[in-house]
Amino acid sequence: MPEGVVEREVLLPDGHGLVTVAVGTPGEHVDPLSLARAPDGSGVRGLAERAFVREQRGPSVRLGAQLDPVALARMGVRAPSYDPIELATFLGAHVEQECAAALGEGRDADAAATLGSALAVRAAPVIVGSTLEALAPVLRSVIDQRGLVRASDLARQADLAVGVLYREVVQTVGITPEAFLAAVRFSAFVRDAVGTGPVRPGDALAVLQWYLRAGYPPREVERFTGLGHVELRRLETGIAAALGVPA
């Protein structure tokens, strides 16, 4: 990105973790609900419960790898939803250095291959008969079904009691089954409106404003967006504040 240009995108809570290698000016991770800012460079993030805004000021090159919902658990990592883990701590300093050097030299394919190989080596096989083996296809099915299922449906699919499912999902991916469902549902709702690729905050804001002003019943709002009317309004206001425009 050229010097002096400010670029923003919405990071959707789509049920996947994310590994990023960044070279150049670090971006910033903005929480729309608190407007708190944190550096957003190379690192690993777990499953998020809500959308965030990413802001980039200054030139940078980024390589990202989207992770399966249980990938971090297979790697023995319990990543907080919002706080990144340093990439050097996660994969080793040499992997980050090799990827960064390749990106800096324009060898994007080499950087992607290095990162992919390191992730594959780090991931342990899923033990047959383990709870993780039962949960993995269930969580993937949530993404396939756009979050339009209930936690009780997931429990039946995994052949677990609802209470056991709750405990195991929290321990495995760091968020509750309900939060996971809501996050995937919200992402599907936004994607339907804006399409694939980076989500510009202005586009996401327009979607939220249109939906809120359409006057849908509260039950329908939560069913299709994963958020209650009040939560959706707070998110709309926060994204608008991050952009410096009236909500």
Side-chain angles (χ1 to χ4, degrees), residues 85-135:
I85 299 172
E86 291 186 4
L87 189 60
T89 301
F90 182 64
L91 293 178
H94 67 288
V95 173
E96 181 175 5
Q97 291 166 0
E98 288 179 21
C99 289
L103 289 175
E105 296 167 5
R107 296 184 289 110
D108 297 353
D110 291 341
T114 298
L115 182 60
S117 297
L119 291 170
V121 169
R122 176 71 191 265
V126 177
I127 299 174
V128 176
S130 66
T131 302
L132 185 58
E133 184 189 39
L135 287 181

Side-chain angles (χ1 to χ4, degrees), residues 5-83:
V5 174
V6 180
E7 185 178 82
R8 298 182 179 91
E9 65 177 300
V10 171
L11 305 178
L12 295 175
D14 57 6
H16 296 278
L18 181 67
V19 178
T20 305
V21 181
V23 178
T25 306
E28 285 192 307
H29 200 244
V30 186
D31 183 345
L33 299 187
S34 67
L35 297 184
R37 291 174 173 264
D40 186 41
S42 298
V44 182
R45 292 188 185 275
L47 309 187
E49 296 183 25
R50 62 176 180 270
F52 283 80
V53 174
R54 185 179 178 280
E55 186 175 284
Q56 180 68 45
R57 296 176 181 270
S60 71
V61 179
R62 296 172 62 85
L63 168 66
Q66 192 179 62
L67 299 176
D68 183 85
V70 301
L72 291 180
R74 290 181 59 191
M75 298 177 196
V77 175
R78 298 294 185 267
S81 298
Y82 312 126
D83 301 327

Side-chain angles (χ1 to χ4, degrees), residues 25 46 50 56 141 143 146 210:
T25 306
R50 62 176 180 270
Q56 180 68 45
S141 75
I143 297 172
R146 301 156 50 86
W210 167 80

